[in-house]
């Protein structure tokens, strides 16, 4: 039997005056999966999340969550969601406990039930010992875990996380990943934006790469890497005066590559190992396994987006 998507977008558009931030995307996100949104700065990821979480109106197209339209049933949809936004929205004047209690009021959770859930979510993110502290007295990693705890208070069916680990050290990042993995095992559907390719590879069952408001590709991380990059990658840094000869030779031999200016990335898509080694003779680097970052750069290029 075919599964019904938990989130479905059809020709979804968001315009801010004459800027089209999301340009007619189609999405089907299934129950229990962790679905990632990757894309350069300004690609339209947060805008898409904000429409899904009913925080920003849809300009055109259809968008539904558990069969409910975001235009017609925002209240019901918000009750099903736990949202961790990019910005830290904790109240600095309240303690950890008070922050969580204030949030429980939005969902009209009865006081005794709220108290129980606060204990539960703080225990889950290992912050029970900080219950009387204010957010300013927590580290960045603790604040992120607190935001996740807060998002879980209403027992959401879907967790929406906008860059949940930006700025965290590796220990804190892994701690957040562990928590998200536990929640996934419990069957929660997770939507995630991230600039960390390792995070997406680790957590996401499927993902989309978005650029300029359009979905460039979607699929599982490993399928996408295999399809668009191949097995292995080698970066070479030939002297300037030899680069064009090497590039021409790669092109003539139908080897997939990317000219990065000072370096060339060569993709092993068809076991072209020997051909490449002879072309780059003397300037070969080491082959390494292809990864999501290779895919991302192949699809979205290397130009900085903040400058545009
Ligand atoms: P980042 O990785 O930097 O968070 P993003 O992919 O989440 O980027 P969005 O925040 O969705 O990108 O922005 C998409 C585009 O919409 C950008 O060009 C941005 O400047 C624009 N934009 C976002 N919010 C608004 C707004 N409230 N008013 C006008 N333009 C906006």
């Amino acid at each position: 039997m075919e599964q019904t998507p938990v989130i479905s977008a059809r020709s979804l558009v968001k315009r801010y005056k004459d800027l089209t931030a999301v340009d007619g995307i189609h999405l089907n996100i299934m129950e229990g999966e962790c679905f990632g949104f990757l894309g350069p700065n300004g690609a339209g990821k947060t805008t898409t999340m904000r429409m899904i979480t009913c925080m920003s109106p849809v300009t055109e197209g259809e968008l539904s969550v558990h069969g409910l339209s975001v235009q017609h049933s925002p209240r019901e949809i918000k009750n099903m969601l736990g949202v961790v936004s990019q910005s830290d929205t904790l109240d600095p004047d309240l303690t950890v406990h008070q922050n969580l209690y204030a949030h429980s009021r939005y969902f009209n959770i009865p006081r005794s039930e709220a108290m129980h859930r606060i204990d539960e979510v703080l225990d889950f993110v290992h912050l029970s010992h900080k219950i009387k502290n204010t957010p300013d007295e927590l580290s960045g990693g603790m604040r992120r875990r607190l935001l996740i705890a807060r998002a879980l208070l209403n027992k959401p069916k879907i967790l929406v996380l906008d860059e949940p680990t930006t700025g965290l050290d590796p220990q804190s990042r892994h701690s957040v990943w562990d928590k998200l993995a536990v929640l996934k095992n419990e069957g929660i559907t997770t939507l995630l934006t991230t600039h960390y390719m390792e995070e997406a590879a680790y957590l996401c069952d499927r993902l989309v790469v978005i650029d300029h408001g359009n979905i460039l590709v979607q699929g599982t991380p490993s399928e996408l890497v295999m399809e668009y990059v191949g097995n292995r990658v080698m970066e070479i840094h030939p002297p300037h005066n030899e680069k064009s000869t090497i590039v021409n030779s790669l092109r003539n031999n139908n080897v997939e590559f990317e000219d990065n200016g000072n370096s060339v990335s060569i993709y092993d898509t068809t076991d072209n190992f020997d051909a490449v080694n002879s072309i780059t003779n003397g300037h070969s680097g080491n082959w390494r396994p292809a990864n999501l970052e290779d895919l991302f750069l192949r699809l979205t290029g290397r130009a900085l987006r903040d400058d545009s």
Side-chain angles (χ1 to χ4, degrees):
M1 201 176 68
E2 201 163 299
Q3 237 191 321
T4 317
V6 172
I7 294 168
S8 166
R10 292 281 164 275
S11 310
L12 183 64
V13 174
K14 178 72 188 186
R15 283 191 211 99
Y16 296 108
K17 297 197 177 127
D18 51 2
L19 178 110
T20 304
V22 175
D23 196 8
I25 63 170
H26 301 278
L27 277 176
N28 279 332
I29 300 174
M30 311 312 280
E31 185 152 22
E33 74 176 342
C34 179
F35 194 91
F37 291 82
L38 306 186
N41 291 141
K45 306 178 296 295
T46 301
T47 304
T48 305
M49 294 290 218
R50 286 175 58 78
M51 287 191 281
I52 292 171
T53 54
C54 308
M55 283 150 68
S56 179
V58 167
T59 309
E60 269 171 34
E62 288 168 28
L63 178 59
S64 67
V65 179
H66 271 289
L68 299 171
S69 139
V70 293
Q71 283 103 327
H72 302 125
S73 311
R75 189 79 229 151
E76 292 88 333
I77 291 174
K78 281 181 183 176
N79 280 334
M80 289 189 244
L81 302 178
V83 181
V84 178
S85 57
Q86 225 177 86
S87 51
D88 184 334
T89 49
L90 296 164
D91 188 328
D93 298 325
L94 301 182
T95 64
V96 164
H97 191 276
Q98 288 166 340
N99 261 288
L100 294 179
Y101 185 65
H103 193 73
S104 76
R105 300 310 306 140
Y106 290 121
F107 294 98
N108 291 322
I109 303 169
R111 188 184 155 79
S112 63
E113 175 65 16
M115 293 301 160
H116 174 67
R117 289 196 200 174
I118 289 171
D119 286 345
E120 223 173 49
V121 293
L122 283 178
D123 182 49
F124 177 65
V125 299
H126 301 303
L127 282 178
S128 304
H129 59 300
K130 297 288 180 186
I131 198 158
K132 291 185 179 147
N133 290 94
T134 59
D136 290 347
E137 293 165 342
L138 305 183
S139 70
M142 288 174 178
R143 278 203 296 276
R144 280 276 136 191
R145 295 199 324 261
L146 179 56
L147 287 167
I148 292 173
R150 193 180 67 173
L152 294 174
L153 267 181
N154 59 319
K155 295 191 183 291
K157 289 183 175 165
I158 303 170
L159 193 57
V160 181
L161 304 133
D162 201 353
E163 298 188 27
T165 63
T166 295
L168 300 189
D169 68 17
Q171 286 83 358
S172 306
R173 185 172 303 149
H174 278 270
S175 163
V176 169
W177 292 358
D178 286 348
K179 297 299 154 206
L180 296 181
V182 171
L183 292 168
K184 183 173 146 47
N185 285 339
E186 288 173 4
I188 200 163
T189 307
T190 309
L191 274 59
L192 172 91
T193 74
T194 182
H195 289 297
Y196 297 116
M197 299 299 130
E198 196 195 346
E199 178 163 292
Y202 182 76
L203 292 173
C204 297
D205 299 306
R206 288 193 304 137
L207 55 86
V208 286
V209 180
I210 301 187
D211 202 4
H212 304 295
N214 292 294
I215 292 177
L216 303 181
V217 294
Q218 68 178 296
T220 71
S222 55
E223 277 167 12
L224 291 174
V225 170
M226 197 46 134
E227 184 172 350
Y228 292 95
V229 188
N231 268 321
R232 287 164 291 207
V233 180
M234 178 165 68
E235 264 108 35
I236 60 168
H237 299 264
H240 190 64
N241 57 351
E242 289 178 42
K243 201 188 86 182
S244 59
T245 314
I246 290 176
V247 162
N248 285 336
S249 189
L250 289 169
R251 192 173 288 119
N252 293 338
N253 282 276
N254 296 320
V255 175
E256 297 271 335
F257 69 96
E258 201 76 44
D259 184 348
N260 309 318
N262 291 327
S263 66
V264 181
S265 299
I266 302 168
Y267 306 111
D268 175 21
T269 43
T270 49
D271 282 327
N272 48 21
F273 217 56
D274 293 338
V276 170
N277 280 337
S278 72
I279 294 166
T280 60
N281 191 24
H283 303 297
S284 298
N286 289 324
W287 288 102
R288 59 164 175 78
N291 58 37
L292 266 186
E293 186 129 338
D294 299 312
L295 169 84
F296 187 88
L297 291 172
R298 267 218 103 173
L299 293 174
T300 61
R302 289 179 182 251
L304 288 177
R305 298 310 170 87
D306 283 335
D307 296 353
S308 59

